[in-house]
Amino acid sequence: KRGRASLETCAAVRRGSRWRTSSSSIAKTTCWAGSRRSLPSSCCPDKKIICVRTEDITISGGMVRQKAKYHRFLDKRHLTKPSRGPFHFKSPARMLWRTVRGMIPHKTPRGMAALERFKAYEGIPRPHDKTKRLVVPDALRVLRLQHGHKFCKLGDLSREVGWKHQDTIAELEERRKEKAKVYYQQKKKLLQLKAKAAAV
């Protein structure tokens, strides 16, 4: 089914008859429901999954509804000793990590190992900004969300509930995009020179 496809079948790159054992998934323009279904199934069969730009994940439903749901979650705590949990993460990467953890048998050795292979980040930190990134087609917003349906961004929800680094991440992303643009222009020129040399 469309929502059940694992990252192994829709985003991993195949080389000959062997799957690559590590992939970096870009979370921009992906839907929360689709990404959380695809990621756990791909963590278990010995694959390293790195999810970047988690602040741009789309959540179906308006901001008012999602904010009310999260505030109800904030009210859940240990009655006599809150330091025992549950712990309420406010950054987008940790929210996604906690959601994926709930879909993995994380208390078994196999589940612990799978969770260790999954990483999530806001923005695209080094060295992942220099690696090839993939998307999860079945989790794209244009495929998962009905036309005209309300949605909000995970980064905006995090800012509403107490995350303080959205502006910093946005600034760092602008710098990264400028550097990437310069690199791409140089790469295009080099490819054109190679094509001319091969044609002679």
Side-chain angles (χ1 to χ4, degrees):
K1 294 181 181 179
R2 186 171 67 180
R4 297 288 180 178
S6 68
L7 193 62
E8 180 180 80
T9 56
C10 62
V13 178
R14 192 166 184 173
R15 287 182 177 175
S17 59
R18 298 180 62 186
W19 290 98
R20 291 175 64 182
T21 57
S22 177
S23 60
S24 178
S25 172
I26 186 166
K28 181 177 172 61
T29 69
T30 59
C31 194
W32 178 258
S35 59
R36 72 181 185 180
R37 286 172 182 167
S38 302
L39 292 172
S41 57
S42 55
C43 289
C44 290
D46 297 332
K47 287 183 174 56
K48 291 182 181 178
I49 303 298
I50 301 161
C51 193
V52 295
R53 298 183 75 178
T54 53
E55 71 277 5
D56 286 327
I57 288 178
T58 299
I59 307 176
S60 62
M63 176 60 74
V64 175
R65 179 184 293 269
Q66 297 302 330
K67 190 176 174 182
K69 282 172 62 178
Y70 201 82
H71 278 292
R72 286 197 297 270
F73 168 62
L74 290 176
D75 290 335
K76 291 179 171 61
R77 68 186 186 96
H78 194 284
L79 188 60
T80 58
K81 194 171 183 182
S83 61
R84 289 183 178 174
F87 304 106
H88 311 98
F89 299 119
K90 295 179 181 178
S91 69
R94 296 301 281 175
M95 284 183 180
L96 178 63
W97 178 87
R98 193 178 193 276
T99 303
V100 172
R101 185 191 67 175
M103 306 180 77
I104 289 176
H106 66 279
K107 294 188 178 181
T108 65
R110 178 172 173 267
M112 289 179 188
L115 197 59
E116 280 294 318
R117 292 191 293 270
F118 173 70
K119 305 293 180 187
Y121 300 101
E122 296 92 12
I124 308 181
R126 296 177 182 175
H128 308 301
D129 57 340
K130 301 292 179 65
T131 59
K132 181 180 174 65
R133 293 179 291 276
L134 310 169
V135 297
V136 185
D138 281 350
L140 290 175
R141 186 179 69 208
V142 294
L143 298 178
R144 300 295 305 173
L145 207 62
Q146 291 181 353
H147 179 68
H149 196 84
K150 287 184 179 180
F151 66 88
C152 63
K153 295 290 184 70
L154 184 58
D156 295 335
L157 175 63
S158 298
R159 182 191 60 197
E160 291 291 327
V161 298
W163 186 50
K164 300 178 181 179
H165 305 292
Q166 189 177 37
D167 295 335
T168 305
I169 294 295
E171 183 180 345
L172 292 173
E173 278 295 288
E174 286 298 323
R175 292 183 195 173
R176 182 191 64 80
K177 288 175 183 177
E178 289 174 4
K179 290 181 181 179
K181 186 176 181 180
V182 172
Y183 167 77
Y184 183 65
Q185 296 297 334
Q186 293 175 349
K187 182 180 177 181
K188 280 207 308 186
K189 289 179 182 178
L190 185 61
L191 289 174
Q192 288 173 359
L193 290 173
K194 284 183 178 179
K196 286 182 182 179
V200 173

